[in-house]
Amino acid sequence: MSSGVGAMLRAYWLSKQREGALPKRQDIDPGEIRGLLPDLALLESLEGGRYFRFRLIGTSAERCLGHIAMRRTFDGDSEGGRYRDLVAFLRRAGDTCDCLETRIPNFGNNAVYEAIEATVAPLVDQDGQPVRFLIAMEFVISASAAIEARACRMER
């Protein structure tokens, strides 16, 4: 499934592994992935993965998500379950300690997008525990928005 930004994040994450050890946050150099930054988010795990928080969101991802609140703590039940699929995805990546890909329903506020093709790369602390996650997000436009856009182009 991985295309574009997700494939590039995965390749970068793999390049940062040393002797089988997963990368740490300090191993990630934003200058090396400058072109990916608009489509990435950095999340942190709190209370052993019970909660999560967005630390940083790239400009493109933030716009596509509809400007969700930074630094808000959430779990799978927050806001009527809005983040349920994202939380399950993060927990699975933390449990497997692997870079994973999936399509999840859009958890943001922008109804133009129905889903997000996401690649998540766990980052570990000094004890080797996954505590932060880089996520590459590619947004899938909803069918109704695509039809509306097509109709607007045809009217021109």
Side-chain angles (χ1 to χ4, degrees), residues 49-61:
R50 182 173 180 200
Y51 299 101
F52 295 90
R53 179 181 328 166
F54 280 96
R55 302 244 334 143
L56 300 167
I57 303 176
T59 53
S60 178

PDB file of all heavy atoms in Angstrom, residues 49-61:
ATOM      1  N   GLY A  49       1.152   3.783  26.772  1.00  0.00           N
ATOM      2  CA  GLY A  49       0.292   3.566  25.611  1.00  0.00           C
ATOM      3  C   GLY A  49      -1.189   3.667  25.904  1.00  0.00           C
ATOM      4  O   GLY A  49      -2.013   3.411  25.027  1.00  0.00           O
ATOM      5  N   ARG A  50      -1.528   4.060  27.118  1.00  0.00           N
ATOM      6  CA  ARG A  50      -2.950   4.242  27.430  1.00  0.00           C
ATOM      7  C   ARG A  50      -3.504   5.469  26.709  1.00  0.00           C
ATOM      8  O   ARG A  50      -4.640   5.467  26.232  1.00  0.00           O
ATOM      9  CB  ARG A  50      -3.138   4.381  28.936  1.00  0.00           C
ATOM     10  CG  ARG A  50      -4.585   4.518  29.315  1.00  0.00           C
ATOM     11  CD  ARG A  50      -4.804   4.480  30.789  1.00  0.00           C
ATOM     12  NE  ARG A  50      -6.223   4.619  31.059  1.00  0.00           N
ATOM     13  CZ  ARG A  50      -6.710   4.994  32.214  1.00  0.00           C
ATOM     14  NH1 ARG A  50      -5.901   5.208  33.230  1.00  0.00           N
ATOM     15  NH2 ARG A  50      -8.006   5.102  32.377  1.00  0.00           N
ATOM     16  N   TYR A  51      -2.701   6.519  26.649  1.00  0.00           N
ATOM     17  CA  TYR A  51      -3.077   7.764  25.995  1.00  0.00           C
ATOM     18  C   TYR A  51      -2.008   8.144  24.981  1.00  0.00           C
ATOM     19  O   TYR A  51      -0.870   7.681  25.047  1.00  0.00           O
ATOM     20  CB  TYR A  51      -3.209   8.908  27.009  1.00  0.00           C
ATOM     21  CG  TYR A  51      -4.259   8.671  28.041  1.00  0.00           C
ATOM     22  CD1 TYR A  51      -3.917   8.240  29.317  1.00  0.00           C
ATOM     23  CD2 TYR A  51      -5.599   8.877  27.750  1.00  0.00           C
ATOM     24  CE1 TYR A  51      -4.881   8.017  30.274  1.00  0.00           C
ATOM     25  CE2 TYR A  51      -6.581   8.659  28.714  1.00  0.00           C
ATOM     26  CZ  TYR A  51      -6.213   8.229  29.970  1.00  0.00           C
ATOM     27  OH  TYR A  51      -7.172   8.007  30.907  1.00  0.00           O
ATOM     28  N   PHE A  52      -2.367   9.053  24.082  1.00  0.00           N
ATOM     29  CA  PHE A  52      -1.444   9.585  23.089  1.00  0.00           C
ATOM     30  C   PHE A  52      -1.654  11.087  22.971  1.00  0.00           C
ATOM     31  O   PHE A  52      -2.694  11.612  23.367  1.00  0.00           O
ATOM     32  CB  PHE A  52      -1.669   8.912  21.725  1.00  0.00           C
ATOM     33  CG  PHE A  52      -1.347   7.446  21.752  1.00  0.00           C
ATOM     34  CD1 PHE A  52      -2.321   6.512  22.074  1.00  0.00           C
ATOM     35  CD2 PHE A  52      -0.070   7.006  21.478  1.00  0.00           C
ATOM     36  CE1 PHE A  52      -2.025   5.160  22.119  1.00  0.00           C
ATOM     37  CE2 PHE A  52       0.244   5.655  21.528  1.00  0.00           C
ATOM     38  CZ  PHE A  52      -0.740   4.735  21.847  1.00  0.00           C
ATOM     39  N   ARG A  53      -0.646  11.748  22.401  1.00  0.00           N
ATOM     40  CA  ARG A  53      -0.729  13.203  22.211  1.00  0.00           C
ATOM     41  C   ARG A  53       0.053  13.571  20.952  1.00  0.00           C
ATOM     42  O   ARG A  53       1.149  13.069  20.723  1.00  0.00           O
ATOM     43  CB  ARG A  53      -0.116  13.906  23.403  1.00  0.00           C
ATOM     44  CG  ARG A  53      -0.135  15.412  23.293  1.00  0.00           C
ATOM     45  CD  ARG A  53       0.499  16.113  24.470  1.00  0.00           C
ATOM     46  NE  ARG A  53       0.313  15.354  25.691  1.00  0.00           N
ATOM     47  CZ  ARG A  53       0.969  15.578  26.814  1.00  0.00           C
ATOM     48  NH1 ARG A  53       1.871  16.513  26.889  1.00  0.00           N
ATOM     49  NH2 ARG A  53       0.759  14.847  27.888  1.00  0.00           N
ATOM     50  N   PHE A  54      -0.526  14.444  20.131  1.00  0.00           N
ATOM     51  CA  PHE A  54       0.195  14.998  18.992  1.00  0.00           C
ATOM     52  C   PHE A  54       1.215  16.003  19.513  1.00  0.00           C
ATOM     53  O   PHE A  54       0.856  16.945  20.212  1.00  0.00           O
ATOM     54  CB  PHE A  54      -0.753  15.718  18.026  1.00  0.00           C
ATOM     55  CG  PHE A  54      -1.499  14.802  17.118  1.00  0.00           C
ATOM     56  CD1 PHE A  54      -2.778  14.389  17.436  1.00  0.00           C
ATOM     57  CD2 PHE A  54      -0.914  14.342  15.948  1.00  0.00           C
ATOM     58  CE1 PHE A  54      -3.477  13.536  16.597  1.00  0.00           C
ATOM     59  CE2 PHE A  54      -1.606  13.486  15.111  1.00  0.00           C
ATOM     60  CZ  PHE A  54      -2.893  13.086  15.434  1.00  0.00           C
ATOM     61  N   ARG A  55       2.485  15.791  19.187  1.00  0.00           N
ATOM     62  CA  ARG A  55       3.543  16.743  19.555  1.00  0.00           C
ATOM     63  C   ARG A  55       3.750  17.742  18.424  1.00  0.00           C
ATOM     64  O   ARG A  55       3.921  18.922  18.667  1.00  0.00           O
ATOM     65  CB  ARG A  55       4.843  16.024  19.847  1.00  0.00           C
ATOM     66  CG  ARG A  55       4.724  15.004  20.933  1.00  0.00           C
ATOM     67  CD  ARG A  55       5.484  15.229  22.165  1.00  0.00           C
ATOM     68  NE  ARG A  55       6.660  16.027  22.062  1.00  0.00           N
ATOM     69  CZ  ARG A  55       7.035  16.868  23.010  1.00  0.00           C
ATOM     70  NH1 ARG A  55       6.308  17.003  24.091  1.00  0.00           N
ATOM     71  NH2 ARG A  55       8.130  17.562  22.896  1.00  0.00           N
ATOM     72  N   LEU A  56       3.779  17.242  17.196  1.00  0.00           N
ATOM     73  CA  LEU A  56       3.978  18.084  16.019  1.00  0.00           C
ATOM     74  C   LEU A  56       3.117  17.539  14.887  1.00  0.00           C
ATOM     75  O   LEU A  56       2.950  16.331  14.763  1.00  0.00           O
ATOM     76  CB  LEU A  56       5.449  18.048  15.564  1.00  0.00           C
ATOM     77  CG  LEU A  56       6.493  18.527  16.554  1.00  0.00           C
ATOM     78  CD1 LEU A  56       7.886  18.125  16.079  1.00  0.00           C
ATOM     79  CD2 LEU A  56       6.404  20.027  16.737  1.00  0.00           C
ATOM     80  N   ILE A  57       2.605  18.441  14.075  1.00  0.00           N
ATOM     81  CA  ILE A  57       1.861  18.044  12.877  1.00  0.00           C
ATOM     82  C   ILE A  57       2.343  18.929  11.739  1.00  0.00           C
ATOM     83  O   ILE A  57       2.354  20.157  11.859  1.00  0.00           O
ATOM     84  CB  ILE A  57       0.339  18.207  13.045  1.00  0.00           C
ATOM     85  CG1 ILE A  57      -0.169  17.408  14.233  1.00  0.00           C
ATOM     86  CG2 ILE A  57      -0.377  17.767  11.767  1.00  0.00           C
ATOM     87  CD1 ILE A  57      -1.652  17.591  14.511  1.00  0.00           C
ATOM     88  N   GLY A  58       2.727  18.303  10.619  1.00  0.00           N
ATOM     89  CA  GLY A  58       3.156  19.052   9.448  1.00  0.00           C
ATOM     90  C   GLY A  58       2.033  19.900   8.886  1.00  0.00           C
ATOM     91  O   GLY A  58       0.852  19.619   9.090  1.00  0.00           O
ATOM     92  N   THR A  59       2.402  20.924   8.151  1.00  0.00           N
ATOM     93  CA  THR A  59       1.417  21.899   7.658  1.00  0.00           C
ATOM     94  C   THR A  59       0.366  21.275   6.743  1.00  0.00           C
ATOM     95  O   THR A  59      -0.815  21.588   6.859  1.00  0.00           O
ATOM     96  CB  THR A  59       2.123  23.043   6.926  1.00  0.00           C
ATOM     97  OG1 THR A  59       2.978  22.492   5.909  1.00  0.00           O
ATOM     98  CG2 THR A  59       2.949  23.889   7.888  1.00  0.00           C
ATOM     99  N   SER A  60       0.773  20.402   5.853  1.00  0.00           N
ATOM    100  CA  SER A  60      -0.188  19.767   4.947  1.00  0.00           C
ATOM    101  C   SER A  60      -1.123  18.832   5.716  1.00  0.00           C
ATOM    102  O   SER A  60      -2.342  18.846   5.509  1.00  0.00           O
ATOM    103  CB  SER A  60       0.554  18.999   3.852  1.00  0.00           C
ATOM    104  OG  SER A  60      -0.355  18.357   3.004  1.00  0.00           O
ATOM    105  N   ALA A  61      -0.551  18.027   6.591  1.00  0.00           N
ATOM    106  CA  ALA A  61      -1.371  17.114   7.399  1.00  0.00           C
ATOM    107  C   ALA A  61      -2.337  17.899   8.281  1.00  0.00           C
ATOM    108  O   ALA A  61      -3.515  17.537   8.387  1.00  0.00           O
ATOM    109  CB  ALA A  61      -0.482  16.210   8.248  1.00  0.00           C
TER     110      ALA A  61
END
